[in-house]
Amino acid sequence: MEQTALMTEMGRDWDKFHASDIARKLPFFSRENRLHDCLFSQQFDRALLDYLFAVADRLRAVTQNKTGADTVSQLLAHKRAMLYFVQPSTRTFLSFLNACHILGLKTSEIRDTSTSSEMKGESPEDTVRTFSSYVDLIIMRHPTPGFVEKTAWFMNRIKRPVPVINGGSGKDQHPTQALLDVYTLHRSLPGGPEGKTIVMVGDLKRGRTVRSLSYLMKNYRGVKLVFVSPPQLRMEADILEFLQRHAIPYRETDDFASVMPEADAIYMTRIQDEHDQAEESKSLDLSRFHFRAQDLKVIKPNAIIMHPLPRRHEIEPVVDDDDRAVFWRQERNGMWIRAALISYIFGVDGQIPAPGKT
Ligand code: NCD
């Protein structure tokens, strides 16, 4: 079927669209060969990743002085963004908020449905349509899997399509976290992720960050993944199938200590017990999935320790003092790569001055 006809057909029926293969969906979220919405990690290829890293590096450098920061803060001063974050968030929310402010975007926010007309019985879809009338970008975190995608699908059908960025969607995806994670791998490991062994630890079943990061690995040659979790919290089959399809080697284990010495990057995560049905993760012994000060002696001298944060007990706080603990830098990288992504979505990335040219 011809692309436009396909898009029209897919634009009519959400259930049909939602059930479609990702490859068929992706064109729906791009315009003129550029991302319009950012919903899935599968939207990023290697060229785009490298390009966004370069844009983020340029933004960091050029905004170091007032002239550069002022120039960049004019780029989107005529635009407004809505941050609709109806699931707990500290760093993703603040990171996006400040990314918008770096570019001059004005922001408004809803952080709790109890303060919106959803309490009067308005459907979430109508609420989203309402606030889309006032803004030029929607950044959304939502507990219901698929809701962010549905919002973007819906926005692409109306006369004034507003781009949508996924700031964390249920248990399914968190693509901008994956983006900042690979940006961190790129900055902190010589040669970036290529040829590296990346060990992901914790609640791999319900953590959306490890899912989105796994998808991005198809863009790097020679990556090996090791998934470390209790048997009850193993990585879901859809991700394992994706890795097999893309010939990305992985193995699964519950023996963290045995794999520490081979890791180039250790990606720690917390237990996502908000998804428990009957407090089932309370009965698990999670202490074997923690990283302690003594483990610093076991890992490679140039390995890095990452975490999407927030942490609970997975990483002992004294570990923070070691140079290999990069999670606070990882957090800050998020703001810059999100600013790069937003500048790209609006097509102003080419107007960011080179450092020293302001
Ligand atoms: C993660 C999330 O919300 O999925 N946090 C984040 O965005 N940095 C991870 C988590 O909550 O454990």
Side-chain angles (χ1 to χ4, degrees):
M1 195 185 299
E2 198 237 314
Q3 189 65 16
T4 339
L6 174 70
M7 304 280 269
T8 314
E9 188 196 306
M10 303 246 306
R12 262 190 227 117
D13 182 343
W14 160 248
D15 290 327
K16 191 168 174 184
F17 180 85
H18 190 46
S20 305
D21 189 70
I22 184 88
R24 293 186 77 199
K25 291 183 188 187
L26 292 187
F28 205 79
F29 300 117
S30 286
R31 276 160 199 248
E32 289 156 25
N33 288 325
R34 199 174 262 265
L35 290 195
H36 177 73
D37 305 291
C38 171
L39 306 171
F40 317 105
S41 281
Q42 296 95 313
Q43 288 177 284
F44 295 100
D45 61 20
R46 179 63 185 272
L48 181 54
L49 290 172
D50 286 344
Y51 180 69
L52 291 175
F53 299 164
V55 173
D57 287 347
R58 180 179 275 223
L59 278 171
R60 302 175 97 115
V62 74
T63 54
Q64 271 179 14
N65 66 54
K66 180 164 166 38
T67 326
D70 286 348
T71 309
V72 168
S73 73
Q74 285 308 304
L75 291 176
L76 291 174
H78 56 306
K79 299 286 184 188
R80 291 178 302 279
M82 169 59 142
L83 282 79
Y84 183 81
F85 272 58
V86 293
Q87 205 188 13
S89 178
T90 309
R91 75 218 77 240
T92 306
F93 176 81
L94 286 175
S95 162
F96 269 119
L97 189 73
N98 286 289
C100 287
H101 293 171
I102 288 168
L103 298 165
L105 267 158
K106 293 166 188 81
T107 49
S108 48
E109 62 190 65
I110 291 182
R111 302 210 57 184
D112 182 352
T113 49
S114 71
T115 62
S116 89
S117 282
E118 284 178 60
M119 284 307 278
K120 298 183 192 164
E122 186 174 56
S123 69
E125 287 80 1
D126 280 7
T127 303
V128 170
R129 185 155 192 179
T130 299
F131 64 64
S132 77
S133 317
Y134 307 125
V135 298
D136 308 287
L137 171 68
I138 296 170
I139 306 168
M140 179 178 273
R141 168 171 287 202
H142 205 278
T144 311
F147 187 80
V148 181
E149 181 187 341
K150 188 173 185 183
T151 303
W153 171 82
F154 178 74
M155 283 296 139
N156 280 313
R157 298 165 64 243
I158 63 176
K159 284 218 172 66
R160 189 174 168 276
V162 174
V164 176
I165 300 180
N166 181 356
S169 155
K171 285 183 276 184
D172 42 307
Q173 281 231 22
H174 193 353
T176 64
Q177 177 70 43
L179 204 54
L180 76 91
D181 292 340
V182 279
Y183 182 45
T184 302
L185 291 165
H186 164 83
R187 284 175 72 88
S188 305
L189 292 175
E194 290 224 337
K196 304 296 193 308
T197 298
I198 299 171
V199 176
M200 300 189 198
V201 188
D203 190 343
L204 307 181
K205 186 180 178 67
R206 304 173 299 182
R208 53 195 173 194
T209 69
V210 283
R211 293 175 57 79
S212 287
L213 182 57
S214 298
Y215 282 125
L216 279 190
M217 290 301 121
K218 82 161 199 308
N219 295 298
Y220 298 95
R221 270 176 309 193
V223 171
K224 286 196 207 99
L225 297 178
V226 185
F227 295 129
V228 183
S229 71
Q232 297 86 340
L233 299 176
R234 285 170 58 186
M235 186 57 97
E236 292 277 14
D238 61 335
I239 298 289
L240 302 181
E241 278 157 25
F242 173 87
L243 297 172
Q244 284 158 25
R245 219 173 31 251
H246 292 274
I248 301 165
Y250 69 84
R251 62 182 213 275
E252 299 180 271
T253 176
D254 63 356
D255 186 357
F256 186 22
S258 75
V259 298
M260 280 186 197
E262 67 181 282
D264 295 299
I266 297 179
Y267 190 99
M268 301 295 295
T269 67
R270 77 177 168 90
I271 299 303
Q272 311 275 314
D273 51 14
E274 66 268 37
H275 297 297
D276 275 4
Q277 305 289 321
E279 303 197 331
E280 60 272 22
S281 45
K282 281 231 165 85
S283 57
L284 297 175
D285 172 18
L286 301 166
S287 60
R288 293 189 301 124
F289 305 96
H290 292 178
F291 190 94
R292 301 185 176 79
Q294 71 217 41
D295 300 324
L296 290 165
K297 296 191 203 105
V298 175
I299 63 169
K300 288 183 185 175
N302 51 1
I304 57 170
I305 307 153
M306 301 172 68
H307 195 308
L309 302 174
R311 86 173 134 187
R312 287 177 181 164
H313 318 288
E314 310 81 54
I315 304 180
E316 241 176 23
V318 290
V319 171
D320 298 22
D321 297 336
D322 193 282
D323 267 353
R324 292 168 290 179
V326 300
F327 31 90
W328 299 111
R329 276 172 267 163
Q330 180 185 353
E331 182 177 80
R332 189 168 161 77
N333 288 341
M335 176 178 73
W336 295 111
I337 201 73
R338 286 177 172 128
L341 175 70
I342 294 168
S343 75
Y344 173 79
I345 286 176
F346 281 101
V348 296
D349 44 296
Q351 296 169 41
I352 300 166
K357 294 270 161 53
T358 52

